[in-house]
Amino acid sequence: MFSIVRTLWDVFLHSFQRRVTRQYPEQPAYLPPRWRGRIVLSRDPDGGERCVACYLCAIACPVDCIALQATEDSNGRRYPEFFRINFSRCIFCGYCEDACPTYAIQLTPDFEMSEYKRQNLVYEKEDLLISGTGKYPGYNFWRVAGVQIDGKDKGQSEREEPPTDLRQLLP
Amino acid sequence: MAIIYIDDKPHQADAKQNLLHACLSLGFNLPYFCWHPALGSVGACRQCAVKQFRTPDDKHGHLVMACMIPAVEGTRISIHDPEAVAFRAGIIEGMMQNHPHDCPVCDEGGECHLQDMTVMTGHNYRRYDFPKRTFRNQYLGPFVNHEMNRCIQCYRCVRFYREYAGGNDFNVFGIRNTAYFGRYQDGVLESEFAGNLDEVCPTGVFTDATHKHHYTRKWDLQFAPSVCVHCGLGCNISPGERYGTLRRIVNRYHGDINGYFLCDRGRHGSEFVNSDQRIRQARLRRNGQLQAVSKAEALEHIRQVLTSSSRVIGIGSPRASLEANFALRAAVGERNFFAGIFQRELRLLNRVLDVLRNGLAPAASLREMENSDAVLVLGEDVTNYAPRMALSLRQSVRQGPMAMADKLKIPHWLDHSVRELAQDSKGPLFIASIAATRLDDVASETYHAAPDELARLGFAVAHKLDDNAPAVSGLTLEQTALAERIAQALRSARQPLIVSGLSCHSTAVISAAANIAQALRRTGQPSRVTFTVPECNSVGLALLGGRPLEDAFAAVRNRAADTVIVLENDLYRRASVQDVDALLLGAKHVIVLDHLTNATSTKAELVLPAATFAESDGTLVNNEARAQRFFQTFVPQPDVQESWRWLRDAIIASGRQDFAAWENLDHVIASMAVEVPALAAASKAAPDATFRMSGAKVPRQPERYSGRTAMLANIDLSEPKPPDDPDSPLSFSMEGSPDQPPSPLIPFAWSPGWNSYQAWNKFQEEIAGPLRGGNPGVPLVEAAAQPQQEYVRDVPAPFQPGDGEWLIVPFYHIFGSEELSIHSHGVKQLSPGAYLAMNDKDAERARLRPEDRIEFTIAAISYQAALKVRADLPQGIAAIPAGIEPLQGIQLPDWSRIVRVA
Ligand code: SF4
Ligand code: SF4
Ligand code: SF4
Ligand code: SF4
Ligand code: FES
């Protein structure tokens, strides 16, 4: 009996305490930059698509919700022909970001992606691509990789010697 | 067998082998690069280091390269010794110094031996911060992509290309860490086996150029155990599919046939599966136009046709499976089943089967050919007709020199020493052919002549071996002396081999080969024979029987038949336009089942979309009469189905309900075994559809197949259930038994830690030996215990060049002559155009010059081509490329005049 009365009293006292309910969405929540939310595909500092269609995010994904197809432009730069994430399956574990060797795929502090139709949770490359570098400003995979692409000849990557002259015989 | 001690534990090892071979055979993971199971050891990469101890008390030991030390009795080594482990890690780190940061865009990634070995040795962070050396790449042709920065200088590629495959337009250039592997300048690699560089190279320097535009990682491909359909040898392949298209073909190890290597036609010839010429829906002729119709409409039409026709005949095909041909035979009845090839070819095939059945000499597998120490090739240009065989014959010439190595006690696997010792000496290989072949560079002697002369030479060799064999009169001195030398070589060999086949279309040549085998047998010399055949199921078709194609033409001409069903056979490639037109237009109804739109299918009344090898299961019989099962790689568009299923549906539609019992492939095979006893053993080619491992099916997809919940999400969010496979014990899924499947069911090679093709190590009884449980396939021809002793006595008369006429023979081309592979871009690029080749003296006499436009006439039809002049062609003979447009449907050999077109 006493405990019931006491509980009622406690509840009553709470009506004079500070509100904790937040008036979302008028009052947005602070999310730290490393929050694992909506996934984006970023661009390299030159504005090119960062993703090189290596399939590592797809294999790392524990729910297998990433599918893509690699293709190449005529100068050897590889990129995804299509890139699809099924967010109705994604568990926002961030393994794809971990696996990505180019910092292309990144999880962002945004979770506002509810939809009335589940089908709308399937994002294609056009939906995923952002215009900037995201969390990792400086990195450009192609400046480190050894392959030749448009605008970067053999030997022009970071820490590379010029292409070997096969006709010289000096030791 | 010897006992060796690995980390103090005794193990059985083959004393004739090296320690690396022993360790890998025993299942240890020891990293290596330069050693290759088919290429032997050179000790170049220093990756396979282990510690060797002199005695049980030796605690100090010394580092040795496992691939260079024989596994002799009592050898004591340690794989896990800290010094050896550190040494191996150091070697990898050294190799990685200059290695580019390419894995994400490297086509080798995910199946890279270098990645695997790096992980195995535990090297994971780069300490070297100085600039890396770089190279320019080369254009190497349509099949092979070059990215030289990734090279670790293991030398496997040049050893394979030059020493194993005999190519000489590829080499190593430069010095020290700038050694460069490529051609002296950009250009198409000349070797027909260049595509194997993709697999031989442990890194991504050489990758499949045809795979690039729709590149998919190995872990994302759906594979099936399959068999190459581009020639009669039956090499085993692993096709890989993703998103409903065939992405690539890689080698599937078979210890008796292809071993580790394929030819480039087999590896790159399957683009036809994705071709936009594919027939993907049934088409029915309405108002003169072929229009797409549904499956039900097609079957309704078939019902009307079959119930209203008085006599239906079926034309089978040597490129369709046994089951498809048998289903056609069941649909039309044995009497109305035509083999789809001419009498001439059928007779040659039956002659070959007679020889195999007679048991004069066992049929040699490609592996056995490698071990033959004297070879006579009679009439064949194997590189172009049965390509992979050329690679095996190239190895056979090393058997002679191996005897020198044996004398000096040099083990056979010590590759560099054996080659140094052998220098240019080669075991006997005699090539008697119409003109020069791509194997001539390793031949001890070559002889070029007309088919009849080749046969006469063969008969003469048999007579030299055994006086009872028929003698050949009127031989030239040159022929007699050559026959004597060949006989001498065969007589003194341990395992002589006679290679012949169908490419010169001469029964006499095959009989001559049989006589040689007979003569060797009678003189107590065990020999082997092998015959090449034109298509992937030529032998199966001959075993199934059926009447020749000309009889089908006659049946329609005489109005004995009014409906024709053509199974996977473009008749215009076989017979003249007149004959095929008469057949297709003369018959009231023509039903064609095929993969691609072709001349025949465009004339049909009803076209049914037949599944290709990658979309169906079935059995093919290769040139040794080995029946092998190929399995479906992926599920095609809904209307495309196996030819046998279409035919079954047709039979049911025509009112024979009992055929509803043919629910899956096994039922067809079972009824085939009853009706055609010669094919009964085909059921044992692979486990049937009820086979399970630990209660589960064999998964077609690798464990890490990705994207399952996104691949089709653009169409529908709910993932469909994986398709059922009623026909085989394989599943269209990554789920299934984790156990190693029996050899005919291995879809792809993978083992934990071994993502590259080197994983085949884990599937073999012994490295480079048979697959566990035996190599796939069963022989369909039993050799008689008591061979028939008779010699063939009809020796042909000497060849007489015609007066103003030439004997026109077909020349086969690895790229271009085969019907399906020509739809691949690379194959098309490398195929020759139409030509007619003629001896230079003949051309001079006829006042013809190279590139002249000439005309010849066969069976009253004239054909035009550009003239080529070749000194190696015998006089009186002219050659045209086989199967190349527009020179198709010509019955050869035949005589014709050759005139210049004004
Ligand atoms: S891991 Fe990164 S680079 Fe690779 S496919 Fe995914 S997003 Fe693209
Ligand atoms: S060769 Fe292997 S290790 Fe080198 S870049 Fe290619 S995948 Fe990576
Ligand atoms: S190209 Fe490949 S096979 Fe050749 S040496 Fe380099 S790594 Fe070895
Ligand atoms: S040799 Fe014949 S069976 Fe073998 S891969 Fe080449 S075409 Fe295919
Ligand atoms: S594998 Fe033994 S040294 Fe290369």
Side-chain angles (χ1 to χ4, degrees):
Chain A
M1 187 65 205
F2 173 74
S3 73
I4 292 175
V5 173
R6 165 144 185 214
T7 309
L8 285 171
W9 178 243
D10 279 353
V11 171
F12 174 74
L13 279 186
H14 272 296
S15 43
F16 299 100
Q17 271 172 12
R18 242 189 89 219
R19 301 264 186 281
V20 291
T21 305
R22 213 178 242 265
Q23 292 308 310
Y24 176 84
E26 286 73 28
Q27 250 182 335
Y30 168 75
L31 294 174
R34 285 167 60 181
W35 172 269
R36 300 196 309 266
R38 182 171 58 89
I39 299 174
V40 297
L41 286 177
S42 60
R43 292 179 185 274
D44 62 31
D46 307 337
E49 253 178 69
R50 235 178 196 166
C51 172
V52 299
C54 70
Y55 296 98
L56 287 178
C57 48
I59 195 183
C61 178
V63 292
D64 284 346
C65 73
I66 305 180
L68 65 145
Q69 175 59 54
T71 189
E72 261 182 29
D73 69 14
S74 54
N75 297 305
R77 180 170 171 138
R78 193 162 276 201
Y79 65 96
E81 190 177 12
F82 73 83
F83 193 109
R84 182 179 310 132
I85 302 183
N86 177 357
F87 280 115
S88 77
R89 287 285 185 181
C90 177
I91 56 171
F92 300 97
C93 62
Y95 282 13
C96 50
E97 177 170 347
D98 249 12
C100 182
T102 67
Y103 294 135
I105 197 164
Q106 300 177 12
L107 280 81
T108 62
D110 172 22
F111 56 88
E112 295 168 329
M113 40 193 318
S114 23
E115 296 283 353
Y116 287 106
K117 272 174 55 193
R118 276 183 72 209
Q119 189 64 44
N120 293 344
L121 286 169
V122 178
Y123 281 39
E124 297 291 340
K125 187 167 90 175
E126 303 70 60
D127 312 319
L128 296 164
L129 255 183
I130 60 168
S131 54
T133 56
K135 285 182 267 185
Y136 309 97
Y139 189 69
N140 184 342
F141 170 80
W142 297 107
R143 287 200 208 128
V144 189
V147 295
Q148 178 179 347
I149 54 162
D150 213 8
K152 192 207 78 181
D153 199 2
K154 275 285 162 93
Q156 292 184 347
S157 275
E158 284 167 21
R159 271 184 258 137
E160 269 190 356
E161 281 165 4
T164 308
D165 175 7
L166 293 173
R167 284 173 178 75
Q168 64 99 18
L169 276 176
L170 295 177
Chain B
M1 279 294 158
I3 303 289
I4 62 168
Y5 297 85
I6 302 176
D7 288 305
D8 288 331
K9 288 209 187 60
H11 293 278
Q12 295 261 340
D14 180 356
K16 287 214 196 70
Q17 278 299 345
N18 57 64
L19 286 172
L20 177 59
H21 186 283
C23 291
L24 295 172
S25 289
L26 291 165
F28 289 100
N29 288 342
L30 183 58
Y32 60 85
F33 287 110
C34 64
W35 174 83
H36 182 287
L39 303 178
S41 313
V42 286
C45 71
R46 321 312 279 172
Q47 187 57 61
C48 63
V50 292
K51 201 71 156 301
Q52 185 176 13
F53 304 94
R54 270 177 250 280
T55 61
D57 308 322
D58 179 2
K59 293 281 168 278
H60 200 64
H62 58 285
L63 283 176
V64 294
M65 295 310 127
C67 68
M68 298 299 280
I69 307 288
V72 290
E73 183 69 35
T75 312
R76 312 187 76 90
I77 56 166
S78 166
I79 297 177
H80 302 299
D81 180 273
E83 216 180 317
V85 170
F87 182 88
R88 294 197 299 259
I91 292 291
I92 282 271
E93 189 166 7
M95 285 177 183
M96 281 299 192
Q97 278 182 3
N98 282 312
H99 204 73
H101 187 72
D102 274 3
C103 291
V105 291
C106 175
D107 287 1
E108 196 83 355
E111 52 189 320
C112 174
H113 188 57
L114 178 58
Q115 281 180 334
D116 287 350
M117 297 300 102
T118 308
V119 172
M120 197 177 281
T121 52
H123 168 64
N124 41 15
Y125 277 96
R126 190 181 183 82
R127 292 186 292 176
Y128 177 83
D129 261 352
F130 301 97
K132 300 172 185 177
R133 58 111 177 83
T134 60
F135 295 106
R136 291 210 179 280
N137 303 326
Q138 288 179 330
Y139 168 75
L140 297 177
F143 299 140
V144 182
N145 189 67
H146 195 217
E147 186 57 58
M148 203 27 228
N149 283 354
R150 298 172 188 152
C151 177
I152 55 165
Q153 273 96 10
C154 71
Y155 281 70
R156 267 187 181 191
C157 52
V158 306
R159 290 174 58 218
F160 169 77
Y161 196 93
R162 297 186 69 87
E163 290 165 4
Y164 197 89
N168 50 22
D169 62 321
F170 177 95
N171 215 330
V172 48
F173 307 92
I175 41 169
R176 57 181 167 78
N177 72 340
T178 60
Y180 186 90
F181 298 81
R183 284 171 50 93
Y184 78 101
Q185 64 180 32
D186 284 30
V188 179
L189 286 170
E190 283 163 14
S191 171
E192 295 80 3
F193 304 97
N196 291 302
L197 290 175
D198 308 351
E199 290 183 43
V200 168
C201 174
T203 75
V205 174
F206 300 107
T207 50
D208 184 344
T210 64
H211 185 200
K212 256 189 155 20
H213 75 281
H214 55 190
Y215 178 72
T216 307
R217 297 261 181 236
K218 179 180 180 183
W219 65 65
D220 276 346
L221 289 168
Q222 174 166 281
F223 296 97
S226 192
V227 176
C228 177
V229 295
H230 300 294
C231 89
L233 294 180
C235 296
N236 285 203
I237 53 169
S238 272
E241 171 268 357
R242 179 89 179 173
Y243 300 126
T245 56
L246 186 68
R247 297 303 166 101
R248 64 163 191 191
I249 305 283
V250 293
N251 183 59
R252 183 165 64 97
Y253 181 85
H254 189 296
D256 288 333
I257 308 180
N258 44 308
Y260 290 91
F261 309 115
L262 293 177
C263 80
D264 283 357
R265 173 154 100 197
R267 190 181 293 272
H268 301 292
S270 294
E271 281 172 29
F272 74 94
V273 174
N274 305 334
S275 162
D276 46 17
Q277 304 275 314
R278 274 299 295 279
I279 302 162
R280 298 191 188 271
Q281 266 190 314
R283 291 178 200 160
L284 180 62
R285 192 169 298 277
R286 283 179 178 149
N287 312 325
Q289 293 282 323
L290 278 175
Q291 289 168 2
V293 291
S294 72
K295 209 158 144 181
E297 284 171 294
L299 287 173
E300 170 55 24
H301 185 79
I302 294 176
R303 191 190 62 75
Q304 287 169 9
V305 169
L306 295 187
T307 45
S308 68
S309 297
S310 56
R311 190 163 155 221
V312 187
I313 61 168
I315 298 181
S317 165
R319 67 168 160 88
S321 67
L322 279 185
E323 292 80 356
N325 278 300
F326 173 70
L328 179 62
R329 204 185 89 152
V332 297
E334 191 179 344
R335 236 166 33 87
N336 299 326
F337 176 70
F338 296 84
I341 49 180
F342 281 111
Q343 180 68 37
R344 215 178 204 171
E345 187 175 336
L346 214 46
R347 209 175 281 142
L348 290 168
L349 285 168
N350 283 321
R351 183 77 193 96
V352 164
L353 282 173
D354 283 347
V355 178
L356 297 183
R357 281 200 198 101
N358 192 13
L360 296 172
S365 66
L366 294 191
R367 165 59 63 93
E368 283 157 345
M369 283 180 207
E370 291 177 10
N371 294 328
S372 298
D373 54 347
V375 183
L376 167 63
V377 178
L378 203 56
E380 293 297 300
D381 175 3
V382 281
T383 315
N384 283 306
Y385 199 59
R388 176 62 181 81
M389 189 183 282
L391 208 48
S392 293
L393 290 179
R394 260 185 202 283
Q395 311 319 309
S396 76
V397 302
R398 299 193 63 214
Q399 289 305 316
M402 283 298 183
M404 298 172 17
D406 285 340
K407 226 173 277 158
L408 293 175
K409 297 207 172 57
I410 299 176
H412 293 188
W413 47 263
L414 205 54
D415 196 57
H416 192 60
S417 309
V418 176
R419 288 190 195 270
E420 277 295 305
L421 177 70
Q423 296 288 332
D424 282 336
S425 70
K426 294 183 189 78
L429 165 64
F430 296 91
I431 302 182
S433 56
I434 298 177
T437 74
R438 294 277 284 145
L439 266 182
D440 288 359
D441 59 312
V442 283
S444 9
E445 285 190 63
T446 60
Y447 174 66
H448 302 152
D452 279 352
E453 290 295 334
L454 301 176
R456 285 165 59 79
L457 176 73
F459 280 108
V461 171
H463 181 70
K464 292 272 182 211
L465 288 165
D466 177 8
D467 281 340
N468 296 319
V472 185
S473 56
L475 286 175
T476 62
L477 282 178
E478 179 210 10
Q479 281 173 323
T480 317
L482 178 61
E484 177 58 47
R485 289 193 296 274
I486 297 175
Q488 181 55 38
L490 295 179
R491 201 181 291 128
S492 48
R494 171 178 46 78
Q495 197 193 93
L497 169 73
I498 300 119
V499 179
S500 183
L502 265 66
S503 79
C504 51
H505 302 262
S506 157
T507 331
V509 168
I510 295 174
S511 297
N515 266 18
I516 299 173
Q518 180 77 279
L520 284 167
R521 199 182 147 273
R522 288 236 217 156
T523 50
Q525 176 79 331
S527 72
R528 290 188 181 269
V529 290
T530 198
F531 296 99
T532 59
V533 297
E535 283 170 78
C536 61
N537 205 15
S538 292
V539 174
L541 189 63
L543 285 169
L544 178 63
R547 292 157 60 194
L549 191 54
E550 46 265 62
D551 289 10
F553 293 155
V556 172
R557 215 173 26 241
N558 309 334
R559 312 243 169 260
D562 60 354
T563 298
V564 185
I565 306 179
V566 185
L567 170 71
E568 302 182 26
N569 200 339
D570 181 4
L571 299 174
Y572 287 98
R573 284 182 63 88
R574 296 184 198 276
S576 70
V577 182
Q578 270 88 336
D579 284 347
V580 186
D581 278 351
L583 175 95
L584 299 181
L585 304 175
K588 237 178 19 204
H589 307 288
V590 177
I591 302 175
V592 169
L593 293 93
D594 215 333
H595 324 306
L596 298 163
T597 303
N598 55 35
T600 306
S601 75
T602 44
K603 293 256 166 71
E605 170 182 298
L606 176 67
V607 186
L608 301 175
T612 62
F613 78 95
E615 300 146 349
S616 61
D617 312 77
T619 312
L620 299 175
V621 186
N622 80 350
N623 67 321
E624 338 154 53
R626 181 195 297 262
Q628 300 191 94
R629 186 77 34 83
F630 62 93
F631 291 97
Q632 185 174 2
T633 308
F634 66 102
V635 181
Q637 275 94 338
D639 284 358
V640 179
Q641 60 176 4
E642 298 89 342
S643 291
W644 72 260
R645 273 214 161 83
W646 274 116
L647 290 160
R648 176 204 61 180
D649 293 348
I651 303 175
I652 298 173
S654 71
R656 287 146 76 192
Q657 291 302 333
D658 48 327
F659 277 86
W662 279 13
E663 281 167 10
N664 68 19
L665 189 77
D666 292 333
H667 300 144
V668 188
I669 295 175
S671 85
M672 185 168 74
V674 176
E675 303 231 344
V676 195
L679 300 174
S683 61
K684 294 197 217 80
D688 67 16
T690 59
F691 174 86
R692 294 291 180 277
M693 291 187 310
S694 336
K697 284 195 153 199
V698 180
R700 280 183 172 89
Q701 300 168 354
E703 277 178 25
R704 284 306 304 137
Y705 192 81
S706 81
R708 279 187 308 166
T709 64
M711 290 171 75
L712 300 170
N714 55 331
I715 304 164
D716 186 5
L717 262 189
S718 345
E719 291 95 37
K721 156 178 176 296
D724 282 329
D725 184 358
D727 298 321
S728 83
L730 295 128
S731 67
F732 293 107
S733 156
M734 61 204 269
E735 280 155 29
S737 169
D739 305 345
Q740 254 190 26
S743 65
L745 296 181
I746 305 172
F748 57 95
W750 182 86
S751 179
W754 297 79
N755 297 291
S756 76
Y757 312 104
Q758 318 286 331
W760 283 112
N761 290 348
K762 302 284 183 187
F763 292 81
Q764 297 157 338
E765 259 161 33
E766 181 201 0
I767 302 303
L771 291 167
R772 289 213 185 94
N775 291 315
V778 285
L780 290 188
V781 169
E782 287 290 325
Q786 281 301 320
Q788 197 228 3
Q789 302 276 348
E790 278 309 297
Y791 281 110
V792 179
R793 301 215 161 256
D794 32 357
V795 181
F799 172 73
Q800 295 295 340
D803 181 17
E805 278 199 325
W806 279 264
L807 180 66
I808 304 201
V809 296
F811 269 8
Y812 292 85
H813 289 270
I814 175 171
F815 304 122
S817 289
E818 195 264 333
E819 179 178 354
L820 299 173
S821 57
I822 192 72
H823 292 269
S824 291
H825 289 92
V827 172
K828 185 153 206 143
Q829 180 187 334
L830 300 184
S831 77
Y835 67 81
L836 179 135
M838 182 190 275
N839 177 277
D840 50 348
K841 296 200 190 69
D842 281 0
E844 209 166 293
R845 200 163 315 133
R847 296 176 194 286
L848 295 172
R849 275 201 309 270
E851 297 310 319
D852 273 357
R853 190 108 199 117
I854 54 85
E855 187 174 81
F856 61 96
T857 309
I858 305 263
I861 306 177
S862 296
Y863 303 88
Q864 294 196 352
L867 185 75
K868 260 196 199 176
V869 171
R870 280 175 67 160
D872 59 321
L873 255 173
Q875 283 185 287
I877 299 247
I880 58 167
I884 284 177
E885 280 185 274
L887 307 180
Q888 293 178 333
I890 310 176
Q891 283 292 294
L892 295 176
D894 205 342
W895 292 87
S896 166
R897 311 192 74 83
I898 295 170
V899 291
R900 186 187 300 121
V901 187

